[in-house]
Structure formats: C-alpha cells, structure tokens
Amino acid sequence: MNYCEKIHYTILAAKPADFSEMVDELIARLPVNEVIFRLAFFGTPGSNEEYVSRRILLREKIRRYYKDCEPALSYVSQPPLDAPLVVEVHSYVPDALDRITFRHYQDIPYVLLENAMGRFLFAGGFHGDVLHFGIEQQAVDSFRLLGEVLRKEGFPWNSIIRQWNYIERITAFDGANQHYQAFNNVRSTFYAKTEWRNGYPAATGIGANLGGILIDVDAAVFTSPEAFATPIDNKLQVAAHAYSNQVLEEANQTKTTPKFERAKSMTFGDRKLIYISGTAAIRGEESLKGVGLERQLRITMENIAELIQDARLETLRVYLKNRSDYEKAVKGMEAYGLRIPISYMWADVCREELLIEIEGIAIR
C-alpha cells in the first residue's frame, strides 16, 4: 500500500469526568490494530501549574500503556468546544517494508518510520519551562530541543514538512513584545541555520490559553525519486513569509515574517498527502474585517479549496476566537457535507480581527 493509504487520522472525545478518568477512557478507545505515531490531547487546565501536572500525568499513563512503543505526545491547553477533553490520533498500518522505531530524547518520545520512500520523523511536545520563563525564552528552549532531536536523527531543519506552534495568549504583549512576533523572531533565527530551497514547512501558529510555547513536527528525508515534497502557494493570498512590515508587530525592535507555506504536499508515486496550514479569511495580506463569522468561514474554505484543488479532505481542525460562534460554525461547516473528523477549539487567532482559522490534511 501507498503511504497515503496507510496513514489514518482519528478524533476521539471524552465524556465529562475527572481528568484522569477522561484520559483512561480515551486510551481505551485508541486504535489497537494500527501503530500510533502521534497523540495530541486538547483540554482546559485552570492554571499553568495544573497544565504541567496534567501533562506529567498524561505522559505517565501513555508510557505505561504503550511501554516501548510510546508515540509522540502533546497536551495543548485549548478548550475543545464539543467535549471536555479531545485527542487527535495519527496512526499507521505498516507492511513488511516499513521499519518503525520508538525513541526518546530528554524524556520526549518520538517515532521514526523508514521504508523505500525515505525516513520520516513524528515528534512533538517540545516546550520550555512554562512556570519560570517568558514566551521568548520558552520559544528558544523549544526550538533548541527540536533542533537537537533533528540533529541526533539526521534530519536537517529543512526536512520539516509540517509544524504546529501553540503560543500562549498569542496576541498578548510582554511589555513592547507581542508573543506571536517574538515567536516568529526566534523561529527565523533557528530556520536561518539551513537553506530552504524547497519552501518552508506548512504550519499553524495559534493561540493557547495556557501552556507557554509548544511545538509538534512531521519531517521527511526522501530516498526515492518517486517521493518528494512540494510547497503550495495560494494565488489569492500573499505568502506569509513575504508579508510587508505593515502587518507585522514589533518584538525587540525586529519584525521577521512567519516562516511557513500556505500548504505543503508529500508525493508518493501517484498519491499526494497535503498538509494545509492554518488558514483564515485573508486576501492578499489583509484580513477581511467586520464581515462576521459566516463570511470569514466561507472565505477561509475558499482559500483551502484553492490550495487542495481536487484533493479529498481527510480531517480538519477549526479554531474559533469566540466560544459563542460554535453553533454557527458547526452549521456552516455542515453545509459542506464533508463527513470527515472535525474538531472545534476555542483559541485566539494570530490577528485580533480574525474570528476563525482552519487547518487540515487532504489526500489526492
């Protein structure tokens, strides 16, 4: 089977209960006949102290359950809008040509897949000290840990195909420094360690109510001419890495652009998997302001359609700035008749005027 046929995406939601009980319920429902590459849990801790304790409890439970086959793991402090705790599962059905290994770096689990097409890394949970350091220092520490794993396993920075960046109170300021701009400046510094001749990763930079900085990645080093990555532009939008200073905030007197592509695909023979970056109601480089949730949702989905063309959506994640827009957003998404896993999160988007952001994965 082709990689695109073997990779699966599932969303599971827990019933209301104690946090530990909800984790146990979700673990009991995880796929048992597939190899789990990534588990991303989304919940609502009450403080950063509780966030850290829950993250530790979650890691211990997953470690006991999977033992030597522990997947990449992250706990995102974003309130799900349809359940108290949600987990997104990236799983895989290997064949005889696939070699899968599970490893750790400084207590961070990650997974390696090797086959005739290349080497693939599934890693996450890269974070700094949320209790003692600010956003900029946490970003430095998170990227440092990520870089050490990449170097250890022989993946250059430019092998990152997809990156998820969760940023506590993304549009807030520490003094004169906006959180998102500070993160972008740090990302630019680390990305400058390599040449990005084939485009930056697909990425999402999204708010979290707690949890500081958290980074997850998928990376690939291809070894077959039939397998390769391709950056995807949207003719309706300016590339994020080409934004003008007019749409950037200052942080430490610098304004580096967000280094990501609107989407990025991985081709495997006649199949293609497309990572859709966090997408919003932006045309050119300007947000659509004052048009309401329904209009922003429609423009966002038009932007996604432009990116994926005739590909089939596999899963979507919808971020809403206002909790009160949840039912309206569900109704708007149902109009597309997608019948795919969709999760809804309450999260700040990177610009104050944006009400919704959507990311996802598609296969052609």
Side-chain angles (χ1 to χ4, degrees):
M1 286 193 296
N2 188 287
Y3 177 97
C4 297
E5 298 170 286
K6 294 189 283 186
I7 192 80
H8 297 151
Y9 303 98
T10 308
I11 298 173
L12 302 174
K15 298 175 182 177
D18 172 79
F19 181 77
S20 179
E21 294 174 358
M22 291 191 294
V23 172
D24 290 340
E25 179 205 335
L26 292 175
I27 289 175
R29 294 163 55 197
L30 292 172
V32 294
N33 296 320
E34 302 178 9
V35 178
I36 307 298
F37 283 169
R38 180 186 303 285
L39 296 173
F41 286 81
F42 297 81
T44 316
S47 66
N48 270 324
E49 287 77 11
E50 185 174 62
Y51 170 78
V52 171
S53 66
R54 286 184 173 184
R55 185 176 65 199
I56 292 171
L57 182 148
L58 183 59
R59 183 183 62 205
E60 290 173 346
K61 284 180 176 289
I62 295 298
R63 188 160 294 172
R64 282 198 301 269
Y65 185 79
Y66 282 104
K67 298 181 175 60
D68 295 332
C69 299
E70 188 179 354
L73 176 67
S74 54
Y75 176 44
V76 184
S77 181
Q78 281 179 348
L81 289 168
D82 50 1
L85 186 67
V86 164
V87 62
E88 294 189 7
V89 186
H90 298 188
S91 58
Y92 190 80
V93 181
D95 59 30
L97 299 179
D98 290 314
R99 179 171 174 259
I100 298 170
T101 54
F102 300 86
R103 295 182 180 172
H104 290 83
Y105 181 80
Q106 294 190 9
D107 218 31
I108 296 174
Y110 59 92
V111 185
L112 291 169
L113 165 67
E114 299 179 68
N115 57 31
M117 293 291 146
R119 301 175 64 243
F120 305 88
L121 171 70
F122 305 86
F126 297 104
H127 59 82
D129 186 338
V130 68
L131 298 181
H132 301 99
F133 295 111
I135 291 296
E136 184 172 359
Q137 184 59 51
Q138 288 186 58
V140 170
D141 292 342
S142 300
F143 274 103
R144 176 184 54 79
L145 284 170
L146 168 58
E148 289 169 0
V149 169
L150 292 173
R151 183 168 57 253
K152 176 186 176 186
E153 299 299 344
F155 286 81
W157 280 99
N158 59 18
S159 68
I160 301 173
I161 307 295
R162 180 59 161 107
Q163 186 166 322
W164 292 267
N165 309 296
Y166 305 100
I167 303 160
E168 182 175 343
R169 298 185 305 122
I170 188 170
T171 58
F173 285 77
D174 288 337
N177 296 334
Q178 191 215 39
H179 287 189
Y180 187 44
Q181 189 61 60
F183 173 86
N184 284 327
N185 292 345
V186 172
R187 171 166 55 180
S188 294
T189 298
F190 279 86
Y191 275 15
K193 298 176 185 292
T194 189
E195 296 287 334
W196 296 85
R197 297 186 182 90
N198 193 34
Y200 294 107
T204 301
I206 195 68
N209 59 346
L210 295 165
I213 296 292
L214 180 69
I215 299 174
D216 294 349
V217 300
D218 287 356
V221 174
F222 301 101
T223 55
S224 167
E226 294 186 355
F228 51 90
T230 307
I232 302 174
D233 285 325
N234 187 339
K235 67 182 181 182
L236 303 175
Q237 298 179 300
V238 172
H241 52 79
Y243 280 163
S244 70
N245 276 347
Q246 293 175 324
V247 297
L248 304 175
E249 298 284 351
E250 279 195 26
N252 289 328
Q253 289 74 54
T254 56
K255 291 185 175 185
T256 64
T257 56
K259 300 298 191 292
F260 70 92
E261 306 294 340
R262 295 299 181 186
K264 198 157 191 178
S265 66
M266 292 196 298
T267 297
F268 301 93
D270 61 351
R271 299 292 182 94
K272 187 173 292 188
L273 184 145
I274 302 172
Y275 289 112
I276 305 160
S277 297
T279 304
I282 297 173
R283 289 294 164 86
E285 65 176 17
E286 298 294 330
S287 307
L288 271 73
K289 301 178 181 178
V291 298
L293 185 281
E294 294 97 332
R295 177 67 172 158
Q296 285 201 10
L297 188 155
R298 188 159 61 251
I299 293 299
T300 300
M301 290 299 286
E302 287 178 8
N303 284 336
I304 288 175
E306 176 67 26
L307 290 169
I308 69 172
Q309 299 293 314
D310 60 347
R312 179 186 73 251
L313 286 167
E314 293 291 313
T315 185
L316 290 174
R317 192 189 302 167
V318 178
Y319 302 101
L320 295 172
K321 179 181 177 64
N322 300 314
R323 183 190 287 268
S324 58
D325 283 332
Y326 171 61
E327 292 183 0
K328 199 181 299 182
V330 171
K331 182 178 179 181
M333 294 302 297
E334 286 176 346
Y336 290 92
L338 296 173
R339 293 181 176 82
I340 60 172
I342 302 177
S343 58
Y344 293 85
M345 305 297 169
W346 183 24
D348 281 336
V349 185
C350 62
R351 300 185 189 182
E352 290 284 2
E353 66 272 15
L354 292 174
L355 304 176
I356 186 170
E357 182 169 325
I358 304 175
E359 65 169 70
I361 296 172
I363 291 178
R364 179 183 297 145

